[in-house]
Amino acid sequence: MTTMKSTQFDGEAPASAPRRQEAVASEDSASAEVGRMPIDPYRLPPHSVPLVRRMKEAAKSVLPDALFLSLLHHKCIGRYPNLLRPATFNEKILQRSLRPDPRFINLTDKLLVREYVAGKIGEEHLIPLIAAPDVFTREVFDALPDAFVMKANHGSSFVEVVRDKSQTSFEKLQLRAAQWLATDFYDIARERHYRAIKPRVFFERLLLDQRGQIPADLKLHCFNGRPGRPIIYILVISDRFGSSTHGDVYDVDWNHLDIAIGFYKRSAAPGPRPTNLDSVLNAAVTLCEDFDYVRVDLYAPDNLVYFGELTFTPGAGVLPFTPDRVDYDWGKLLV
């Protein structure tokens, strides 16, 4: 059985530039058109797009990045961002999207980052890599095990879970891979560091816990811009590929916080504290030590810790928080 589910803000995802009348006839209509792109930048665009929609997308593509992001931020957050003196978390993330650290390129690439992670916390924390072919051929497909995960390295939500290879086909996965490889992830929310990543498809072992379930995503927002141990908030996305997906935010002591990130529904009661929470936190602290902020994605099945990805611009700077004050609170933590 294959499973593909796009997530809302992937755990959470998709600045104020002067508006130019020649670039947009109407502020409201332009904002609405920008907002019609996936507000979750990790959701793939539709595979067949009507002509009118394609024409609108083409018109948006000529907007300068700052103007495009300013309109998108207004559509998703409800206010225009201040890019000159950013105060909120989203505004500061937008700045990163427009002026990314050169290190972001290789560390955002889901294949190249593996070397960095192995050097930091050890190869045993990498999900075993089955294949990373230059071209996905039938021979590659035939050599895959019965269960695996197909991913692409150059964006988010490029994920196809295959529990039983006999229930899918090479043609189906080849089409999916071609769609991914044809997607310029920069176009979705103008995160400039994605432009330099060469798209590739790769295959990992399907990670399951002892119950045969896909473990929850642990997305650790690590603020490391001040002396001392980083400030960390943990977003737990449970049942990501199922029918009861929830997103819950905890502090490092596993207090269930009254915060919602993106459009995930918060659970009525806190989930069980991971038995290896200290190991999870220690791995995140090590992986974030070179940055003032990074989101470290981990999995913690059966007392083990596996690396998922590093994300430097989560939500592409248009990430809704509930309550909205969290956007300002987190902005104070990001120097």
Side-chain angles (χ1 to χ4, degrees), residues 17 42 112 127 131 133 140 187 197 237 242 265 271 297 301 308 311 326 329:
Y42 311 114
L112 296 183
I127 299 173
V140 172
D187 285 343
I197 299 176
I237 302 175
K265 183 179 179 181
D297 291 5
T311 301
V326 176
D329 293 341

Side-chain angles (χ1 to χ4, degrees), residues 96-333:
R96 286 181 161 214
S97 292
L98 292 169
R99 295 192 293 275
D101 185 318
R103 296 176 298 172
F104 292 177
I105 298 169
N106 286 351
L107 297 181
T108 298
D109 185 316
K110 292 177 175 58
L111 283 170
L112 296 183
V113 72
R114 292 172 65 91
E115 181 178 356
Y116 176 83
V117 173
K120 282 288 189 179
I121 60 175
E123 290 186 3
E124 66 272 20
H125 297 290
L126 296 173
I127 299 173
L129 183 66
I130 298 171
D134 291 328
V135 181
F136 180 37
T137 63
R138 183 173 293 278
E139 290 72 24
V140 172
F141 175 79
D142 290 342
L144 293 171
D146 290 336
F148 57 87
V149 179
M150 183 174 79
K151 298 180 178 180
N153 68 321
H154 68 297
S156 295
S157 278
F158 297 138
V159 179
E160 182 92 9
V161 175
V162 177
R163 290 180 175 268
D164 182 353
K165 190 169 73 169
S166 69
Q167 299 300 309
T168 187
S169 67
F170 166 67
E171 290 77 14
K172 177 181 178 181
L173 294 184
Q174 184 186 46
L175 177 60
R176 177 72 74 193
Q179 291 164 344
W180 292 349
L181 296 176
T183 301
D184 185 343
F185 202 70
Y186 156 77
D187 285 343
I188 296 176
R190 308 294 178 93
E191 296 164 282
R192 288 179 173 174
H193 49 294
Y194 282 100
R195 290 187 297 188
I197 299 176
K198 179 182 178 181
R200 292 181 66 185
V201 170
F202 64 101
F203 302 85
E204 290 181 341
R205 190 184 83 192
L206 175 58
L207 193 63
L208 300 174
D209 60 23
Q210 291 180 348
R211 302 172 300 158
Q213 302 297 314
I214 297 175
D217 287 19
L218 307 179
K219 298 180 179 296
L220 294 93
H221 291 266
C222 303
F223 298 89
N224 194 36
R226 294 172 174 78
R229 193 172 176 88
I231 296 172
I232 298 177
Y233 292 98
I234 310 164
L235 172 65
V236 180
I237 302 175
S238 54
D239 197 29
R240 174 181 172 187
F241 297 98
S243 58
S244 184
T245 306
H246 287 82
D248 296 277
V249 182
Y250 301 87
D251 64 17
V252 295
D253 296 315
W254 208 249
N255 293 307
H256 193 205
L257 304 180
D258 190 14
I259 293 173
I261 298 179
F263 300 105
Y264 284 113
K265 183 179 179 181
R266 184 173 177 270
S267 300
R273 176 190 176 106
T275 56
N276 57 344
L277 180 60
D278 288 343
S279 297
V280 169
L281 292 171
N282 288 337
V285 167
T286 301
L287 289 172
C288 80
E289 64 186 3
D290 296 327
F291 313 101
D292 56 2
Y293 167 81
V294 64
R295 197 192 76 200
V296 179
D297 291 5
L298 301 171
Y299 305 96
D302 306 325
N303 217 35
L304 301 172
V305 177
Y306 287 101
F307 171 76
E309 65 179 87
L310 297 180
T311 301
F312 297 93
T313 54
V318 293
L319 179 62
F321 289 94
T322 306
D324 181 61
R325 63 172 172 76
V326 176
D327 198 2
Y328 292 88
D329 293 341
W330 283 23
K332 295 175 184 176
L333 301 176

Side-chain angles (χ1 to χ4, degrees), residues 64-80:
D65 287 352
L67 177 57
F68 178 95
L69 291 173
S70 182
L71 294 169
L72 182 60
H73 185 279
H74 179 266
K75 178 68 177 181
C76 298
I77 307 300
R79 56 176 172 269
Y80 289 103

